[in-house]
Amino acid sequence: MTQSTAKRPSGPFREGDRVQLTGPKGRLHTVTLREDGELHTHHGVLRHRDLIGLPDGSVVANSSGHDYLALRPLLRDFAMSMPRGAAIVYPKDAAQIVMQADVFPGAVVVEAGVGSGALSLSLLRAIGPAGRLVSFERRDDFADVARGNVATFFGETPETWEVVVGDLAEQLPAQFEAGTVDRVVLDMLAPWECMDVVADALTPGGVVLCYIATATQLSRVAEYIRATGLFTDPDASETMVRGWHVEGLAVRPDHRMVAHTGFLLTARRLAPGAIAPSVKRRASKSSYGDEDVELWTPGAVGDREINDKNLRKRAREAAKAAEGARLAAAARDTGDATEYA
């Protein structure tokens, strides 16, 4: 099953489907349906087989009479609950990345690094069945988690996706001829280290987008891009999402919000030999010395580590969920012909 022939995420629940259960007090549980599976909570036991065959959006009661709403998770729900090897790109940022990088159906897109695969899911949906996404990841274990998560969501690994384990600066020239990539999305500690090979791979007018955690990283990559003379002047932003409580006349902002998660910096590839018009700015402190550069190194910025035991556990979880999704996809392939007969 490819993206072009994949079944719509609808119809009755089947074994292997991922289901999001909302129980008492609004608590969420995400499970993979098994014929003999059970969800155990302090409110009682809910048997998976009570859900199999019911339509999406059904309400079922557990052994103690507590009601649970059952829905297939949306992409944003899946991304937030899937097994993680590395920190994920949040849905608010993934949506902005697709828009700011102008990822279109049929695009050839390069992503580095793949992390846990959250951004890969959004990019794969955006490029459609005619596009191509190549995701680069330095670590085998992170790549395994990402493969499992993507296969779980789509039912199998899309034919439009390829994961390359290795360093982008070394592997990108071997994967693509110069000027053949439409979009490049970089989610790494030191994106400036890869900017020269990215410039070679991008088609004139193509977009490079960097997802960056700290202001020091943002400053360095922006200045590096300017210094190459190969791109338009970079544009930086961040996205914050504030929910609202709306109940009767009680309408107010939520007490909590998803604030800073990262900066997005975009620039477009100039045509060979083109020189962008100079941008007039007020005088500012744009120069920096060796001491400043030291603060920008990956070691100084810091990197989130996950121990090998937890990472192996999450890789197993992702692989198990992917197998369940394959079973559900196979059931849909054989059952759709008779389901509405």
Side-chain angles (χ1 to χ4, degrees):
M1 180 178 62
T2 66
Q3 273 191 285
S4 58
T5 60
K7 302 297 186 294
R8 293 171 61 85
S10 58
F13 293 128
R14 296 180 176 85
E15 186 174 7
D17 276 350
R18 295 279 286 182
V19 177
Q20 181 176 274
L21 299 168
T22 305
K25 299 183 180 180
R27 185 174 181 181
L28 298 178
H29 303 270
T30 302
V31 300
T32 300
L33 293 182
R34 307 285 182 185
E35 181 64 34
D36 58 350
E38 294 179 335
L39 171 67
H40 290 257
T41 71
H42 64 279
H43 289 293
V45 179
L46 189 150
R47 298 177 300 178
H48 290 192
R49 63 173 176 266
D50 293 340
L51 289 166
I52 295 175
L54 295 180
D56 211 340
S58 294
V59 176
V60 294
N62 70 358
S63 59
S64 300
H66 292 282
D67 288 335
Y68 284 78
L69 171 63
L71 289 164
R72 286 187 175 89
L74 302 176
L75 175 54
R76 66 179 185 183
D77 302 321
F78 179 84
M80 295 300 293
S81 64
M82 68 188 193
R84 301 182 188 182
I88 68 165
V89 174
Y90 271 66
K92 72 179 181 70
D93 293 320
Q96 285 292 316
I97 287 170
V98 170
M99 177 59 69
Q100 291 193 28
D102 190 36
V103 181
F104 56 90
V108 177
V109 181
V110 166
E111 172 196 18
V114 69
S116 299
L119 179 58
S120 303
L121 295 171
S122 294
L123 295 175
L124 285 165
R125 273 194 165 178
I127 64 174
R132 182 188 180 196
L133 172 64
V134 180
S135 301
F136 292 81
E137 174 56 55
R138 288 181 174 179
R139 296 182 54 167
D140 282 302
D141 40 14
F142 284 180
D144 288 339
V145 173
R147 290 188 186 102
N149 287 330
V150 171
T152 298
F153 187 77
F154 287 111
E156 68 175 26
T157 302
E159 293 181 359
T160 53
W161 188 47
E162 179 184 358
V163 179
V164 176
V165 177
D167 187 88
L168 179 69
E170 299 174 358
Q171 298 291 334
L172 185 58
Q175 294 289 326
F176 292 95
E177 296 182 2
T180 60
V181 175
D182 297 306
R183 307 289 185 259
V184 176
V185 180
L186 302 178
D187 176 12
M188 56 178 62
L189 280 174
W192 52 88
E193 295 178 351
C194 305
M195 204 55 62
D196 294 336
V197 295
V198 166
D200 289 339
L202 274 173
T203 186
V207 179
V208 60
L209 184 146
C210 301
Y211 180 69
I212 309 157
T214 70
T216 49
Q217 289 170 296
L218 177 65
S219 176
R220 182 167 188 183
V221 71
E223 293 305 321
Y224 191 97
I225 288 175
R226 289 190 179 105
T228 65
L230 300 174
F231 296 89
T232 60
D233 199 58
D235 181 71
S237 65
E238 66 175 335
T239 303
M240 300 183 185
V241 175
R242 183 174 72 172
W244 278 69
H245 172 88
V246 181
E247 186 174 350
L249 296 179
V251 180
R252 55 170 174 73
D254 284 340
H255 296 305
R256 300 180 64 182
M257 67 178 292
V258 183
H260 176 78
T261 49
F263 299 102
L264 301 183
L265 183 141
T266 59
R268 301 190 67 180
R269 181 68 164 94
L270 296 173
I275 300 176
S278 59
V279 179
K280 295 182 179 180
R281 298 185 181 88
R282 293 182 178 179
S284 64
K285 184 182 178 181
S286 58
S287 60
Y288 49 88
D290 293 339
E291 297 83 1
D292 301 309
V293 173
E294 178 59 29
L295 294 175
W296 288 332
T297 60
V301 171
D303 191 8
R304 174 181 176 271
E305 293 292 336
I306 179 172
N307 64 55
D308 292 339
K309 181 178 178 181
N310 282 339
L311 190 54
R312 288 193 298 269
K313 177 182 177 181
R314 294 175 188 185
R316 289 195 301 269
E317 290 175 353
K320 184 178 179 181
E323 180 59 27
R326 292 188 188 98
L327 290 174
R332 284 194 291 270
D333 288 341
T334 58
D336 283 346
T338 59
E339 183 178 322
Y340 299 106

